[in-house]
Amino acid sequence: MSEAALKRDGANDPYAIPLADIDVSDPARFRDFTLWPYFERLRKEDPVHWCANGMFGPYWSVTKYKDIMQVETSHNIFSSDTELGGITIEDGNAKLGLPMFIAMDPPKHDEQRKTVSPIVSPENLAKLESTIRARVGMILDDLPVNETFNWVERVSIELTTQMLATLFDFPWEDRRKLTRWSDVATATPGSGIIDSYEQKMAEVMECGAYFTRLWNERVNAEPGNDLISMMAHSDAMRHMSPEEFLGNLLLLIVGGNDTTRNSITGGLLALNEFPDQYRKLRENPALISSMVPEIIRWQTPLAHMRRTAKMDTVLGGKTIRAGDKVVMWYVSGNRDEEAIERPNEFIIDRARPRQHLSFGFGIHRCVGNRLGEMQLRIVWEEILKRWPDQPIEVMGEPKRVYSCFVKGYESLPVRIRA
């Protein structure tokens, strides 16, 4: 069901329940795609909203662009630290309980982030571009014609998994393990991915054991240009505890996987929902450069980030107490009418397409944002080279992920006509 249809769906009327009872963290709202009217009501009536009985405990919802920006730029007040709760609404970084640099405060955050940043420097991205383009080309050329197939499996997952394997210099034949570990790291029981938190931790520990072997090989070798080697030879990270190593690995795996993977799918879905924009793109491929950030805004591949108040403070006229959980709903801020013109429309030639919250802001802004954008740009450049005159058609409803953190897809049936 499209967003427009959902807005007319009376069964999902957020005004039928008391304001205080709205809990936008229910993963079923994201899986069933019934989230939008609830966020719309909160933005209008209670943009900093206290939910006392949330699925993941009591929390504040921050739903407007300007309020989210205030939280993002006040890391002295709102902490990301794992020991205080971490970066997800589910305590302990999706119940992993592992430290990672995104879930740290300065100065340690800054030191560890600096270690991995060179792999996504402009110079390194320029070197990676030809590799990405060649792999995108092979994936697209292998797609069936006149036959319905799952775009998520054949394109989105395969491309991002290949890219992750390249960044980690990970054994190629085992690369799909990275996809599995990424899915497991953010999953909750009931999602269809894991059955219990015990299973989750068992698979996460398998990930840790595999990467420890790679670490041990590379710490004794000459420094390389992959992420494992960078960490192993860095003063800021070479003495990490096993838990910190595993936490940072999972951060890089999820960060490198989910944003790009779900934006590749979300972009194709959006262009099918707004066929005038697809037509505009085919007539003027130069619009790819402004379409890419619009896809990332529209999709918002990570729906939220969480902070914990370190002291009493005021936000949007509400008193936040020290220790309170504060959830920044990027998915809502990216649809804020006061910050973004016609936010519920997918417009590939926006005047300010980079005005969005999908990468966060401030010291925790996504370290790989340019790599994600580059992958999306190349995907669409190569698609338009192969199919310049006709759209890739969506043939049915997508199956969405059961999660209020990763806003993603399990499947999307599509067809390429000969």
Side-chain angles (χ1 to χ4, degrees):
M1 195 182 291
S2 70
E3 288 184 26
L6 282 162
K7 287 182 186 300
R8 298 190 298 270
D9 182 6
N12 296 299
D13 181 7
Y15 296 91
I17 60 174
L19 186 65
D21 292 346
I22 291 179
D23 176 16
V24 286
S25 73
D26 183 350
R29 296 204 200 287
F30 290 79
R31 180 197 60 202
D32 302 339
F33 214 47
T34 56
L35 65 158
W36 300 114
Y38 294 90
F39 281 116
E40 192 174 88
R41 183 179 178 193
L42 290 186
R43 284 197 305 272
K44 286 178 180 174
E45 296 184 22
D46 199 17
V48 179
H49 172 264
W50 177 248
C51 176
N53 298 300
M55 183 174 286
F56 303 101
Y59 68 100
W60 290 98
S61 275
V62 187
T63 55
K64 289 191 73 68
Y65 193 102
K66 65 179 174 55
D67 295 324
I68 292 171
M69 289 290 280
Q70 184 178 335
V71 175
E72 288 275 34
T73 54
S74 305
H75 58 267
N76 58 319
I77 299 173
F78 299 102
S79 172
S80 303
D81 198 285
T82 302
E83 292 184 7
L84 295 179
I87 57 160
T88 61
I89 192 169
E90 195 172 16
D91 290 340
N93 303 324
K95 277 262 173 85
L96 289 168
L98 297 168
M100 51 189 73
F101 70 79
I102 196 175
M104 294 175 183
D105 295 330
K108 195 171 184 181
H109 161 270
D110 303 351
E111 294 161 359
Q112 293 197 358
R113 181 184 170 104
K114 205 178 292 180
T115 295
V116 300
S117 295
I119 202 158
V120 287
S121 67
E123 304 79 38
N124 213 38
L125 290 182
K127 292 177 195 170
L128 284 170
E129 177 157 353
S130 60
T131 301
I132 297 171
R133 193 174 296 280
R135 289 183 180 160
V136 168
M138 285 191 291
I139 289 168
L140 295 177
D141 289 341
D142 196 41
L143 296 177
V145 173
N146 284 339
E147 177 186 316
T148 299
F149 65 92
N150 180 3
W151 179 262
V152 175
E153 182 68 27
R154 294 291 297 266
V155 179
S156 303
I157 289 177
E158 185 55 30
L159 175 60
T160 49
T161 303
Q162 288 189 17
M163 195 65 245
L164 274 176
T166 302
L167 294 176
F168 283 116
D169 192 14
F170 191 85
W172 195 251
E173 65 279 6
D174 283 345
R175 65 187 183 277
R176 280 297 178 113
K177 289 181 184 291
L178 295 167
T179 309
R180 174 66 186 171
W181 291 330
S182 178
D183 290 345
V184 166
T186 57
T188 54
S191 61
I193 296 169
I194 56 168
D195 297 322
S196 67
Y197 285 112
E198 290 75 19
Q199 180 193 353
K200 176 174 185 162
M201 289 313 299
E203 293 200 40
V204 163
M205 297 316 288
E206 285 175 24
C207 171
Y210 196 113
F211 272 100
T212 297
R213 195 177 79 241
L214 298 182
W215 172 286
N216 290 337
E217 291 169 3
R218 289 173 202 177
V219 76
N220 296 311
E222 288 296 308
N225 291 323
D226 63 279
L227 282 166
I228 304 299
S229 186
M230 285 179 175
M231 290 193 283
H233 292 274
S234 146
D235 289 338
M237 299 183 91
R238 67 183 309 162
H239 301 299
M240 289 183 294
S241 68
E243 293 78 18
E244 206 170 313
F245 175 51
L246 182 52
N248 278 319
L249 279 174
L250 291 171
L251 165 64
L252 295 167
I253 292 169
V254 171
N257 176 56
D258 282 318
T259 302
T260 313
R261 164 177 156 185
N262 292 313
S263 294
I264 290 170
T265 302
L268 181 58
L269 183 60
L271 285 166
N272 273 263
E273 289 183 359
F274 292 83
D276 59 316
Q277 299 298 305
Y278 207 159
R279 196 160 42 247
K280 193 191 296 184
L281 175 67
R282 296 197 306 278
E283 290 168 358
N284 183 7
L287 291 175
I288 289 173
S289 60
S290 58
M291 178 182 75
V292 164
E294 174 69 349
I295 287 173
I296 294 167
R297 176 195 75 86
W298 179 259
Q299 178 56 31
T300 317
L302 291 180
H304 78 263
M305 281 285 171
R306 172 261 183 96
R307 303 287 183 261
T308 304
K310 293 198 280 190
M311 61 190 78
D312 291 359
T313 189
V314 175
L315 178 68
K318 301 291 182 74
T319 300
I320 312 288
R321 299 294 179 193
D324 282 357
K325 184 188 300 190
V326 179
V327 179
M328 301 177 288
W329 291 104
Y330 296 158
V331 70
S332 177
N334 278 341
R335 301 299 181 97
D336 183 354
E337 299 86 347
E338 290 183 13
I340 298 168
E341 187 179 355
R342 292 155 63 197
N344 293 313
E345 295 177 45
F346 180 74
I347 302 170
I348 67 170
D349 53 356
R350 285 188 181 275
R352 299 174 63 198
R354 291 187 182 278
Q355 186 181 351
H356 66 74
L357 295 163
S358 299
F359 290 131
F361 194 79
I363 65 167
H364 292 292
R365 182 172 171 80
C366 174
V367 70
N369 63 319
R370 296 298 185 202
L371 175 59
E373 289 184 333
M374 184 171 80
Q375 288 181 84
L376 282 171
R377 171 175 61 78
I378 292 170
V379 165
W380 280 101
E381 286 172 353
E382 296 301 314
I383 285 172
L384 292 180
K385 276 185 198 173
R386 285 159 177 78
W387 302 288
D389 302 320
Q390 61 188 34
I392 299 173
E393 295 175 82
V394 170
M395 303 303 291
E397 290 293 320
K399 184 179 180 185
R400 293 180 168 86
V401 173
Y402 180 83
S403 171
C404 70
F405 183 56
V406 173
K407 184 169 167 282
Y409 305 90
E410 292 183 20
S411 64
L412 180 70
V414 307
R415 179 181 290 245
I416 300 168
R417 301 204 181 276

